[in-house]
Amino acid sequence: MGILQYIQQEKLHAIKETILQRKEKLAEDKRLDLAMSHNIYTELTTFRLDLLTTYADSLLMEKETANEVIAQWGNNMANLLVNHGLPLNLALEEISYYRDVIGEIIKEEAKNNDFSLDAFYQIISHFNSIVDNAIQFVSKSYVKDYTEKINYAQYAIDELSVPVVRMTEEIGILPLVGDLDTKRAQYLMESALEKGSHYKLKWLIIDLSAVPIIDTMVADQLFKVIAGLQLLGIEVVISGIRPEIAQTMVSLGIKVEEVKSFSSLHQAVQYTNSFTGSLM
C-alpha cells in the first residue's frame, strides 16, 4: 500500500478533506494576488481548483496513479498558457505556491493527529514527489505545445511567402519577395510543384522583382524548381531579373537559354497571354 503502511487511511482522508474544504479560498487568494502582481486577467481559477483537488486526491493514490492524473493537468495547463500567450513561469509559480500552502496544511494535521516522524516524512516526501512531477509535466507539455505552435506559425508564414496566384485557368504567377535563403528555397520548390500540379497550370511566371540577391545555393535550388515544373509539363517564365542578379547568375555559370526571361512582370504576362491565346 505504499505510504499507507505508515499511517491510517482516515488520517490521510482528514488532510485531503481539509485541502478540499479550503481550495476555493486558496484559489481566490492566488487569483487576487496574481491579478495585482502580474496584471493578467486570464481566468485560471478552474485550473487552480483542479490542481488543488489533484493534490488532495494524490495523498491517497499510489505514485503511478497520481502521476497520470497530474500529467493530464499539466497538459491542460500548458495548452491554456500557450493558447493565451502566457509564460511558463506562471504555471510554475502556481505549482510552487501550493506546495508551500499544502505543506503547511499537512504540518497542521500532523500536529493535531500526533503523526509519527516517519509518517510525516512519508507524506511530505510523497507530496513533494507529486509536485516535482507536476513541474516536469507542465514544463514538457509547454515546450511541446509552444514548439508546435511556432512550427505551425512558421509553416503559415512560409506558405504566405511563396504564394502561387492563379491568373487564368492555365497561367499562374509566383511573386517572390525578400531574401531567398536555402530553407525558403526548399519550400519554394515544394509549394511550386504542389500548387502547379493542383491548379493544372500550363505556365508559371516566377517573378523575382522584389528579390534583392540570389546566392549560389538559392540559384541552384531555383533552377531545380524550374526543372521539376518542366517535368510536370509546366512551362516556366522568369520575370524581374535585375542586372545585379543577372550578373550573379552569369558569374555562377548558370545558363538560362531554355527558360524565357523578361525584365518586368508586365512583359512576362503579355508573353504568356499571347501564347496561350494563340493556342485557343
Side-chain angles (χ1 to χ4, degrees):
M1 294 182 67
I3 70 167
L4 299 185
Q5 62 183 312
Y6 295 98
I7 189 169
Q8 296 177 358
Q9 278 197 24
E10 49 267 28
K11 291 183 178 181
L12 286 173
H13 274 292
I15 298 174
K16 172 184 173 180
E17 290 305 315
T18 300
I19 296 170
L20 294 178
Q21 289 168 10
R22 298 186 190 178
K23 70 178 184 178
E24 282 81 9
K25 184 179 185 304
L26 294 174
E28 179 61 14
D29 289 345
K30 187 58 180 172
R31 185 190 71 81
L32 294 174
D33 173 67
L34 192 63
M36 289 185 294
S37 61
H38 291 277
N39 195 30
I40 293 173
Y41 301 102
T42 302
E43 184 55 59
L44 296 173
T45 298
T46 300
F47 287 87
R48 293 191 187 100
L49 293 174
D50 288 346
L51 178 60
L52 287 165
T53 301
T54 300
Y55 279 165
D57 291 342
S58 69
L59 294 174
L60 293 167
M61 294 178 182
E62 293 298 328
K63 186 176 180 180
E64 292 75 13
T65 304
N67 284 343
E68 291 176 6
V69 175
I70 204 69
Q72 184 61 51
W73 177 87
N75 288 335
N76 293 337
M77 185 63 176
N79 186 259
L80 174 77
L81 295 176
V82 171
N83 287 339
H84 286 81
L86 298 174
L88 174 60
N89 68 289
L90 187 64
L92 300 183
E93 182 182 343
E94 298 269 335
I95 294 169
S96 298
Y97 172 78
Y98 291 119
R99 182 203 294 269
D100 295 337
V101 171
I102 294 178
E104 286 297 319
I105 293 175
I106 293 174
K107 186 173 72 173
E108 289 174 13
E109 292 296 321
K111 286 181 179 179
N112 294 336
N113 291 278
D114 297 322
F115 291 177
S116 68
L117 181 61
D118 283 344
F120 176 71
Y121 173 79
Q122 289 297 324
I123 296 171
I124 286 293
S125 177
H126 179 65
F127 176 65
N128 281 332
S129 174
I130 292 166
V131 174
D132 290 340
N133 283 327
I135 293 173
Q136 181 181 14
F137 288 136
V138 76
S139 298
K140 286 183 176 179
S141 294
Y142 183 89
V143 171
K144 177 177 176 291
D145 290 349
Y146 187 79
T147 301
E148 288 178 354
K149 187 172 184 179
I150 292 296
N151 289 340
Y152 181 80
Q154 185 60 55
Y155 176 82
I157 291 171
D158 288 341
E159 191 169 44
L160 289 172
S161 70
V162 187
V164 175
V165 181
R166 195 173 187 179
M167 190 174 70
T168 69
E169 287 293 320
E170 298 181 337
I171 304 171
I173 300 175
L174 177 54
L176 299 176
V177 179
D179 293 334
L180 276 175
D181 56 20
T182 51
K183 180 181 177 182
R184 192 175 173 213
Q186 176 62 35
Y187 188 82
L188 162 65
M189 182 169 191
E190 296 171 2
S191 180
L193 294 177
E194 178 185 348
K195 296 291 177 62
S197 176
H198 176 71
Y199 293 148
K200 296 181 172 58
L201 299 176
K202 291 186 177 180
W203 293 85
L204 181 64
I205 302 170
I206 299 178
D207 183 57
L208 304 176
S209 301
V211 177
I213 192 169
I214 294 180
D215 62 20
T216 309
M217 295 182 68
V218 171
D220 180 64
Q221 191 69 36
L222 179 61
F223 280 88
K224 284 181 179 178
V225 172
I226 293 171
L229 289 166
Q230 289 174 337
L231 286 175
L232 293 176
I234 301 172
E235 293 297 327
V236 179
V237 175
I238 299 178
S239 67
I241 296 183
R242 299 189 311 283
E244 56 270 30
I245 292 181
Q247 186 175 3
T248 300
M249 289 182 170
V250 171
S251 64
L252 294 174
I254 297 172
K255 298 181 179 179
V256 294
E257 290 90 346
E258 297 180 2
V259 181
K260 195 71 176 177
S261 63
F262 297 90
S263 60
S264 72
L265 177 60
H266 175 70
Q267 292 173 331
V269 170
Q270 277 189 326
Y271 173 77
T272 53
N273 272 337
S274 63
F275 189 79
T276 54
S278 68
L279 293 177
M280 296 177 62

